[in-house]
Amino acid sequence: MSAIKKPVALTIAGSDASGGAGIQADLKTFHQFGVFGEGAITLIAVQNTRGVQRVECLDAELVADQIRAVIGDIPPGAAKTGALGNRAIIEAVTALARDFPFPLVIDPVLVSKNGTPLLAPDAIQTLKTFLLPNAFLLTPNLDEASLLTGMEVRDLAGMRGAAQKLAAMGPQAVLVKGGHLGGDPIDILFHRGEWTEFRAARIETRHSHGTGCTFSAAITASLASGIDLQESIRRAKRYITAAIDNNPGLGAGSGPLDHHALF
């Protein structure tokens, strides 16, 4: 009897030694969504819930070889990027992403939760100029949207302005995440000239390590399963809310989410 083919998703991201963010969080999320996960590691972060102690980027060609190896044998239905580290890695990923026949979700990881840079400052322009035009979906938080646009993004009006400015850089869709807003978090999607808001209740906790990685991975998993963009975001929103609410309380700092959460 032939096996039933399972949806496949690829993450191109950094390794978080604590398992709460990066490629580890992405793969856990893919699994929870019933999707087979594969990963290309871009950098190694010596990290725990208290913060990042050291970051080492891999050779750009090694990153590219990992991507070629998996898409040439087990092609994904969707892919995402996380921390990319430097210009050389961005250029290497871009060279391959131009020919991706599947949607690419870009989570523009620029700094860690405690403020440690995860992308060299001189690489931000490279990200904007070369990689963003290959994105199906871009998922910045307020700080990332501010850095990428040069705008101060602190409210819904700023989020809408940033989304339009970012969309002009090439992504087919932009989801500006409002987790850092005052009050309940509201995410705003700009896609094909239309706006959609996604709302959830705020959960007060210090345990939110890996939220951005997990959310973008959840969207990617649903896209890989053939689900449309808006429903993929709704499913991811339900999952991330449950994952924060049921966090296991691990670590002395900002602990991880519950990647086993049901949604």
Side-chain angles (χ1 to χ4, degrees), residues 16-94:
D16 170 10
S18 73
I23 210 156
Q24 289 87 345
D26 293 345
L27 293 174
K28 292 174 188 176
T29 302
F30 291 166
H31 183 83
Q32 192 66 4
F33 275 71
V35 173
F36 180 81
E38 50 192 9
I41 297 175
T42 58
L43 57 84
I44 307 293
V46 178
Q47 183 173 10
N48 57 28
T49 65
R50 295 186 180 97
V52 178
Q53 288 83 51
R54 180 180 175 187
V55 176
E56 292 287 341
C57 291
L58 273 63
D59 177 78
E61 192 57 28
L62 178 57
V63 175
D65 283 345
Q66 293 176 77
I67 299 169
R68 292 189 193 100
V70 295
I71 66 175
D73 183 38
I74 309 176
K80 64 154 288 188
T81 63
L84 295 175
N86 60 34
R87 290 177 58 184
I89 292 173
I90 293 172
E91 290 168 355
V93 172
T94 299

